[in-house]
Amino acid sequence: DTAVSQTPKYLVTQMGNDKSIKCEQNLGHDTMYWYKQDSKKFLKIMFSYNNKELIINETVPNRFSPKSPDKAHLNLHINSLELGDSAVYFCASSPTRGETQYFGPGTRLLVL
Amino acid sequence: AQSVTQLGSHVSVSEGALVLLRCNYSSSVPPYLFWYVQYPNQGLQLLLKYTTGATLVKGINGFEAEFKKSETSFHLTKPSAHMSDAAEYFCAVSSGGYNKLIFGAGTRLAVHP
């Protein structure tokens, strides 16, 4: 059983398109996150939700919009994709105010 | 503000040799410290963590790390490297609470025969 899953695993698209990445966790955690890993492997947090409430919103272009329909799901929608959005996007989850974050396998986005 | 510095973007060791990956942090509050490993084309897996208590923490796959407050360090070690240890290693810090992780730039470990 996969604890944190993401779909799709790979996403290749053209500039200007809109795309979504989905994340689901079956760990019963209350808190979920989106991280971006760039081509140099640098990881940076983008958003975090706790029980469907946005609690962390880093300096991210407003073309990126997270949505949490319930505490087991956190989706990321990206409008008007740009070349610089090419990266690996990781979803993670943790217990409320817990310390360990559990990461999904990542979604590799390539914008052409 | 919190930050993490990993000294050495690439480390190469022989199989059976000691592994030492360096991590220094900056935090204005008592830190929670983590080491994660990333194998090629995979997600991040927790190796070990320090929150409170014993400063020497043991993790999976024979790795351990020691929290040294006076040196603001959390270096990762393994007595004997194995070929399967070749991966990217990330040190991270958080202040607990809502648990925003701040990552270092990563260290790529290569293990050669």
Side-chain angles (χ1 to χ4, degrees):
Chain A
D1 286 343
T2 304
V4 183
S5 60
Q6 296 179 228
T7 54
K9 189 169 183 178
Y10 298 96
L11 188 51
V12 181
T13 187
Q14 300 288 329
M15 273 175 46
N17 285 350
D18 303 338
K19 291 294 178 185
S20 291
I21 306 171
K22 297 187 175 183
C23 177
E24 177 180 2
Q25 55 96 3
N26 62 7
L27 297 168
H29 291 164
D30 289 334
T31 310
M32 296 184 72
Y33 311 80
W34 278 112
Y35 288 86
K36 179 181 180 181
Q37 185 175 46
D38 64 22
S39 58
K40 295 183 179 178
K41 301 283 188 179
F42 187 69
L43 278 152
K44 192 175 189 322
I45 190 164
M46 300 172 70
F47 304 102
S48 178
Y49 272 75
N50 179 258
N51 273 325
K52 302 193 296 176
E53 179 187 353
L54 182 65
I55 56 172
I56 296 174
N57 185 355
E58 293 292 297
T59 309
V60 176
N62 58 15
R63 300 182 294 103
F64 290 79
S65 53
K67 280 191 172 51
S68 182
D70 56 62
K71 74 174 192 178
H73 296 85
L74 179 61
N75 304 323
L76 183 65
H77 188 76
I78 315 170
N79 288 328
S80 304
L81 278 155
E82 300 178 357
L83 293 177
D85 298 331
S86 296
V88 182
Y89 293 85
F90 287 102
C91 177
S93 73
S94 71
T96 303
R97 298 188 179 274
E99 309 97 4
T100 301
Q101 294 184 23
Y102 296 85
F103 283 77
T107 295
R108 285 151 184 81
L109 171 64
L110 178 60
V111 182
L112 302 174
Chain B
Q2 296 175 306
S3 66
V4 175
T5 301
Q6 291 184 238
L7 296 173
S9 58
H10 290 82
V11 170
S12 182
V13 300
S14 299
E15 193 173 18
L18 171 72
V19 175
L20 171 60
L21 304 183
R22 299 178 187 272
C23 172
N24 288 89
Y25 70 91
S26 170
S27 178
S28 57
V29 297
Y32 290 1
L33 294 159
F34 305 81
W35 276 99
Y36 282 88
V37 61
Q38 184 179 28
Y39 297 102
N41 297 318
Q42 294 188 27
L44 281 80
Q45 180 182 7
L46 180 72
L47 275 177
L48 49 80
K49 66 181 181 185
Y50 168 80
T51 54
T52 58
T55 56
L56 181 64
V57 292
K58 295 186 185 299
I60 62 171
N61 301 339
F63 284 94
E64 62 181 39
E66 186 171 10
F67 169 61
K68 292 188 177 180
K69 184 178 178 181
S70 61
E71 298 177 10
T72 61
S73 69
F74 191 57
H75 301 331
L76 181 71
T77 60
K78 181 174 180 177
S80 177
H82 192 273
M83 298 294 287
S84 60
D85 294 327
E88 192 90 23
Y89 291 80
F90 293 94
C91 182
V93 64
S94 82
S95 56
Y98 283 122
N99 204 24
K100 179 170 71 173
L101 280 177
I102 306 297
F103 283 91
T107 297
R108 177 163 294 181
L109 175 66
V111 182
H112 51 86

